[in-house]
Amino acid sequence: MPLLQTSVGISNLTRLGIRHALDRTHSNATTRPDAVGYLEISEFSTFELRHGRVRTDEFLKEWTKQLCNSFSNGDRDCRVTVYQALDDGMYVYLQDSAGDRQTLEQTFYAAILKIEQSLNTFLKQSELPECHLRYALAFHDDFVKTHTASTTSAPFEGFQEELFQWMIQAYRAAKRQSTPIHPLEHVELLQILEQGTIRIFEQPILNLRTLDPLGHECLMRGPSFSRLEAPLTLLSIAEKAGVMLHLERMIRQRAIHNAKVDDRMKLFINISPAIISDASFRAGETLRELKKTQLRPDQIVFEITEHHAIAEYSSFLHLVSHYRSQGFQIAIDDVGAGHSGLVTLMQVKPDYVKVDMELIRDIHLDPVRQEIAKAIRQISDRFGGIVIAEGIETREELNCLHECGIEYGQGFLLGRPFPREKEGEYNEQERFAIPM
């Protein structure tokens, strides 16, 4: 395998001076890289203020040393060039002889893991607190889908403006990490995305009087016994890493292709409004997946939580319009958990209204909760929305919901989430907790 080649530019850059890095790039780069990474030390300015210039200079020397050492592993079929940006930030250009994305990712994230471990060993010896890195990797293949960019390995003059924009993209992606991601979690996330090891569970949604199934909600879990097994943990790490669209695309594809529903049933799939503003979002992807199955667009219901709908309202409205125009249906999830739920219902008029489980919990004991549930049903009736109560766990809750006029529901009383991978190992009736 070719040796990994590393060179480090020594010029400092400001956030607005990324373009100056191209001067040093010009003297080294002969072809366009396959990926650009950006790395920086989280809370570096705080470290400098607390520990002074001398210790900061020592730390920066160690940072540069470990960066070079970690990216100079000759066992990988990948070329890497490193350029310093700011006091602590670094840009990394990666090229793989075969243009293999997985090799580029493994090179980058394995180096980050090594760098952070080595830096913290150095800091511990100096009796200083641990540090964490922010980082992001931007791929040329993703960039060209949304920009007019070179698709061949053109000479430097042919891609320098493209490279400038590309560096900004990597920089911004790293800055979007609200808190540093533990490298082990990031590596595990990459493995999940590369190997497709998410697990899809289905939970039935039933008519509360007849117990006829309306459909299933698709729920996601990470690999068993892993750091990212819990869905909220996996989604949080994916969002921080800037790969939410990639993860949601995988969930959506897996849910659609594994669905076992007849032509009258619905498939409920959770999505985030933020994905529509992702640079790699592609209109029509779900329709193309449906054409490979027997499902119709009106059988797919995209769920968006009330919290996300309010927090990202512009993206939410865009997303609703986008999917409705293609024949898909919309559900607002967790209604009743926020402060603007009823206003959102009237403005959006979703096809399905899913009442938050906290409102359902012990609803038979609380007249106020019962009145809220009735109000949600009455408002939904005005625009033809179907109300679904979530988290039903007791007969008392079920009976109370009957009295409130709620027609559909889901919860452990009606059926627990069941892994789709085990299809064929159980009778269809076994997934329902209440005998049908």
Side-chain angles (χ1 to χ4, degrees):
M1 295 183 181
L3 292 176
L4 195 71
Q5 299 183 3
T6 304
S7 62
V8 179
I10 59 173
S11 60
N12 290 330
L13 305 174
T14 67
R15 287 173 174 81
L16 299 178
I18 294 175
R19 192 178 295 275
H20 295 300
L22 299 181
D23 293 336
R24 295 198 62 83
T25 306
H26 189 281
S27 64
N28 293 284
T30 56
T31 58
R32 169 190 51 75
D34 297 307
V36 171
Y38 176 78
L39 308 81
E40 70 174 20
I41 301 165
S42 180
E43 305 295 337
F44 174 75
S45 58
T46 302
F47 180 95
E48 187 173 16
L49 286 173
R50 288 180 178 176
H51 304 294
R53 189 70 242 176
V54 173
R55 283 198 162 183
T56 299
D57 286 344
E58 293 175 351
F59 181 45
L60 285 175
K61 290 178 182 177
E62 186 67 20
W63 161 232
T64 304
K65 172 186 171 183
Q66 295 301 334
L67 194 73
C68 294
N69 289 344
S70 298
F71 277 113
S72 61
N73 187 335
D75 294 333
R76 295 187 180 89
D77 188 13
C78 184
R79 291 169 53 94
V80 179
T81 309
V82 182
Y83 296 95
Q84 188 174 356
L86 311 176
D87 287 339
D88 63 307
M90 297 284 181
Y91 285 96
V92 181
Y93 302 165
L94 300 97
Q95 290 176 290
D96 177 65
S97 58
D100 181 66
R101 185 172 183 140
Q102 182 172 343
T103 299
L104 295 168
E105 289 176 332
Q106 289 176 341
T107 298
F108 185 70
Y109 292 109
I112 284 176
L113 179 58
K114 183 178 178 181
I115 291 167
E116 190 162 278
Q117 290 174 337
S118 298
L119 283 178
N120 285 327
T121 298
F122 171 81
L123 291 170
K124 184 176 181 180
Q125 292 172 347
S126 302
E127 298 183 345
L128 295 172
E130 288 188 347
C131 73
H132 298 280
L133 303 181
R134 296 182 194 270
Y135 43 85
L137 192 59
F139 289 89
H140 181 261
D141 288 346
D142 291 339
F143 184 83
V144 297
K145 291 176 183 176
T146 51
H147 299 75
T148 301
S150 62
T151 56
T152 60
S153 297
F156 177 80
E157 290 79 2
F159 66 82
Q160 57 180 324
E161 180 60 28
E162 168 189 332
L163 184 58
F164 171 65
Q165 297 296 333
W166 200 2
M167 293 164 71
I168 292 177
Q169 181 177 323
Y171 172 83
R172 288 174 174 169
K175 289 296 184 181
R176 283 197 295 268
Q177 295 180 13
S178 55
T179 56
I181 303 171
H182 193 287
L184 288 177
E185 292 179 333
H186 209 147
V187 169
E188 188 167 316
L189 173 64
L190 287 171
Q191 291 172 343
I192 290 172
L193 297 177
E194 292 166 5
Q195 301 169 14
T197 51
I198 60 168
R199 296 173 296 147
I200 298 296
F201 287 64
E202 291 181 354
Q203 185 171 30
I205 300 172
L206 306 182
N207 183 297
L208 297 184
R209 293 192 180 276
T210 67
L211 297 183
D212 291 332
L214 170 68
H216 303 130
E217 179 179 355
C218 295
L219 304 170
M220 175 271 298
R221 302 286 187 274
S224 299
F225 309 111
S226 69
R227 286 170 172 259
L228 305 183
E229 179 176 6
L232 291 180
T233 302
L234 176 53
L235 291 170
S236 174
I237 296 299
E239 185 172 11
K240 292 175 185 177
V243 295
M244 180 65 82
L245 178 61
H246 189 163
L247 179 62
E248 290 203 357
R249 182 188 293 121
M250 179 183 295
I251 295 169
R252 190 163 61 247
Q253 290 175 346
R254 186 74 59 80
I256 288 172
H257 287 285
N258 290 345
K260 302 294 182 183
V261 295
D262 62 33
D263 59 4
R264 298 168 298 171
M265 294 172 64
K266 306 289 185 178
L267 195 65
F268 289 72
I269 302 174
N270 293 276
I271 57 173
S272 167
I275 66 171
I276 203 157
S277 58
D278 192 295
S280 56
F281 179 82
R282 297 290 168 272
E285 280 185 332
T286 308
L287 277 178
R288 287 191 289 273
E289 292 300 323
L290 282 185
K291 289 179 180 178
K292 304 173 186 177
T293 73
Q294 300 299 315
L295 295 172
R296 305 182 309 274
D298 65 287
Q299 289 183 268
I300 305 299
V301 183
F302 287 118
E303 287 192 29
I304 307 169
T305 65
E306 179 191 339
H307 168 73
H308 284 141
I310 296 169
E312 303 176 68
Y313 201 66
S314 177
S315 294
F316 168 66
L317 293 179
H318 189 185
L319 194 69
V320 168
S321 176
H322 169 78
Y323 281 120
R324 274 186 166 163
S325 68
Q326 299 177 64
F328 298 106
Q329 296 191 312
I330 299 296
I332 294 185
D333 197 12
D334 297 339
V335 172
H339 303 291
S340 306
L342 299 183
V343 175
T344 304
L345 291 184
M346 292 303 298
Q347 292 178 334
V348 177
K349 299 178 176 62
D351 303 283
Y352 295 90
V353 177
K354 304 193 74 177
V355 182
D356 184 65
M357 66 175 62
E358 291 303 318
L359 188 63
I360 303 303
R361 186 73 60 249
D362 294 327
I363 189 171
H364 58 290
L365 302 177
D366 190 339
V368 174
R369 295 189 185 198
Q370 295 168 27
E371 291 303 316
I372 294 174
K374 291 177 183 178
I376 293 173
R377 188 211 70 211
Q378 291 168 358
I379 292 173
S380 301
D381 286 346
R382 295 290 182 89
F383 57 78
I386 295 174
V387 178
I388 301 171
E390 296 186 293
I392 304 172
E393 295 188 356
T394 68
R395 287 277 186 176
E396 291 79 8
E397 292 170 351
L398 177 62
N399 293 335
C400 182
L401 290 168
H402 283 161
E403 297 174 3
C404 293
I406 306 300
E407 190 174 2
Y408 292 93
Q410 68 184 103
F412 283 3
L413 178 68
L414 305 177
R416 291 176 178 269
F418 199 94
R420 169 49 62 189
E421 288 77 2
K422 293 187 178 181
E423 181 65 41
E425 297 181 10
Y426 67 104
N427 183 289
E428 184 70 17
Q429 299 292 327
E430 291 178 1
R431 78 172 71 198
F432 305 114
I434 295 179
M436 299 178 66

